[in-house]
Amino acid sequence: MSSEIFNRLNLRGFQAGKQIQKAKVRTQSRVALPLNLWRVYGAAKRDKQARFTALLHHVNVTALERAFRRLKRSASAGVDGETAATYEQNREANLRGLCQRVHSGTYRPLPVRRVYIPKSDGGQRPLGVPALEDKIVQGAVAEVLSAIYEVDFLGISYGFRPGRNPHQALWALHQALMTQRVCWVLDADIRKFFDSVDHEWLLRMIAHRIADSRVLRLIRLWLKAGVLESGEWHETVEGTPQGAGISPLLANIFLHYALDLWVHQWRKRQARGRVIIVRYADDFVMGFQRTQDVGRLWCHAPTLSFAHPSDHPSLCGVRSASGSPSGRAVCGKPARTDL
């Protein structure tokens, strides 16, 4: 599928979602962004190759307070035992001291407290609970970085982005399946993605846009802070903890380079038929007009580990209404193949 058609398709999905949740969704716009970050956003938009060398000054007391206000008051405490309620009692002094430590280089993140929640398949999903001040600084830094990366991220990405939600991802996928020539659907997710992100590759990807060594140092400190589980500290050599405020953005940055841009280029250069993709965090669905493109993509795919409930991606055939190549799905059980 041409990039023009695909971009129009995703734009329709985005606009429909905005109309459905007009009162609830805050978009990355002049209204949602503070003036200083709106300027960062504008600079990133004007020059897609620009590297930002001075960003940490945007992480000031005001930004830290915004990040604190966004925290859930009922969230679990990290290893420090500090809650939002206790921090609130001396909020202004606490935030001023935190800002001073961030800018003087004396701020050090604490290990992440490891907890487990049940998964639908009977397993357990590890979650990380950062210390309260680490959540605040991560939220402020993520706000600054989002002003840059919202310019770069493609329309196919819907997870953990301002103004986007799962309903819009489903709507865009529905529109693609019903209006484009999609005969095969590939449903996949990346096995243990948050636990296996390569730190050095991630930092190299971030360095494409971020040249502020102080911000890069903070991200490295968070990645290397370690995990506290059952009273024992464990080093983290890879991965970014699910539950950390910065993790969704870091995951989107990594997959933007490792998956989204790769698929976008492959579709233009290698595909013989229409190809669509919708991604939400580490889950994605692709649609193909020609089955040959599925095998061709799998041969050229980057070295990511893909998983499905059966530990294999599933490929479903979509029957065409009246036998035409329109790709419109009709009722009936599709063919399914594990790759």
Side-chain angles (χ1 to χ4, degrees):
M1 177 169 50
S2 71
S3 59
E4 292 80 10
I5 295 176
F6 193 73
N7 288 333
R8 287 202 302 271
L9 182 62
N10 280 285
L11 180 60
R12 289 192 215 122
F14 179 63
Q15 291 173 339
K18 284 177 65 178
Q19 292 171 359
I20 292 171
Q21 300 195 3
K22 187 176 180 180
K24 298 180 180 179
V25 175
R26 286 166 57 89
T27 59
Q28 187 82 317
S29 66
R30 188 185 296 271
V31 175
L33 284 175
L35 181 59
N36 60 322
L37 295 187
W38 180 253
R39 291 174 180 146
V40 172
Y41 176 83
K45 195 170 184 178
R46 284 192 300 272
D47 186 355
K48 298 291 186 70
Q49 304 300 319
R51 298 181 72 223
F52 291 81
T53 58
L55 291 173
L56 194 63
H57 66 280
H58 294 294
V59 183
N60 52 27
V61 174
T62 304
L64 293 173
E65 182 155 9
R66 284 198 304 269
F68 176 73
R69 296 297 184 191
R70 290 193 294 266
L71 295 179
K72 293 181 179 179
R73 293 303 184 261
S74 59
S76 300
V79 298
D80 58 347
E82 186 87 70
T83 65
T86 59
Y87 202 81
E88 176 76 41
Q89 295 172 5
N90 197 22
R91 185 189 72 254
E92 292 184 6
N94 287 336
L95 292 177
R96 284 197 301 269
L98 177 59
C99 184
Q100 190 276 331
R101 282 182 280 129
V102 168
H103 287 271
S104 65
T106 58
Y107 161 78
R108 293 292 184 277
L110 294 174
V112 173
R113 183 169 67 88
R114 173 67 55 82
V115 296
Y116 293 90
I117 60 173
K119 296 171 63 176
S120 58
D121 60 2
Q124 289 189 314
R125 184 188 305 278
L127 288 181
V129 183
L132 186 78
E133 288 196 330
D134 295 337
K135 294 179 185 178
I136 295 171
V137 182
Q138 287 183 19
V141 172
E143 184 182 48
V144 176
L145 296 183
S146 291
I148 298 169
Y149 283 104
E150 279 302 307
V151 174
D152 296 349
F153 290 155
L154 303 185
I156 64 177
S157 168
Y158 286 85
F160 307 111
R161 294 180 58 188
R164 295 199 161 204
N165 57 49
H167 297 289
Q168 294 171 357
L170 289 173
W171 195 92
L173 181 61
H174 174 266
Q175 286 296 102
L177 294 178
M178 300 302 290
T179 62
Q180 303 302 316
R181 296 179 179 180
V182 174
C183 300
W184 295 91
V185 175
L186 179 68
D187 175 25
D189 64 66
I190 303 173
R191 183 186 295 117
K192 297 181 179 179
F193 171 71
F194 284 91
D195 298 328
S196 58
V197 171
D198 186 289
H199 291 173
E200 296 307 316
W201 270 111
L202 174 60
L203 289 167
R204 289 169 65 181
M205 292 171 178
I206 295 172
H208 278 294
R209 278 295 234 171
I210 310 302
D212 189 330
S213 60
R214 299 168 300 171
V215 173
L216 294 174
R217 174 181 171 273
L218 282 175
I219 295 173
R220 184 181 290 276
L221 286 174
W222 289 323
L223 293 174
K224 302 295 185 183
V227 172
L228 194 67
E229 184 175 0
S230 301
E232 294 186 6
W233 180 82
H234 302 276
E235 182 183 9
T236 49
V237 295
E238 60 181 6
T240 175
Q242 295 188 63
I246 196 79
S247 289
L249 177 61
L250 297 182
N252 273 332
I253 293 172
F254 190 95
L255 290 173
H256 170 71
Y257 289 102
L259 182 65
D260 299 355
L261 288 179
W262 183 86
V263 169
H264 185 63
Q265 293 299 320
W266 182 90
R267 182 179 59 201
K268 292 195 300 183
R269 299 174 182 177
Q270 302 290 336
R272 298 294 182 264
R274 299 279 179 92
V275 177
I276 65 100
I277 178 173
V278 174
R279 179 176 67 80
Y280 192 94
D282 58 342
D283 298 282
F284 63 94
V285 177
M286 297 188 67
F288 300 85
Q289 179 183 4
R290 302 179 185 275
T291 185
Q292 296 91 339
D293 281 337
V294 183
R296 190 176 295 113
L297 176 134
W298 216 246
C299 290
H300 296 126
T303 55
L304 292 172
S305 180
F306 295 101
H308 188 259
S310 61
D311 278 343
H312 296 283
S314 63
L315 179 66
C316 299
V318 180
R319 289 190 296 150
S320 167
S322 71
S324 68
S326 65
R328 294 182 180 272
V330 296
C331 295
K333 185 176 181 181
R336 180 177 293 272
T337 304
D338 284 337
L339 296 177

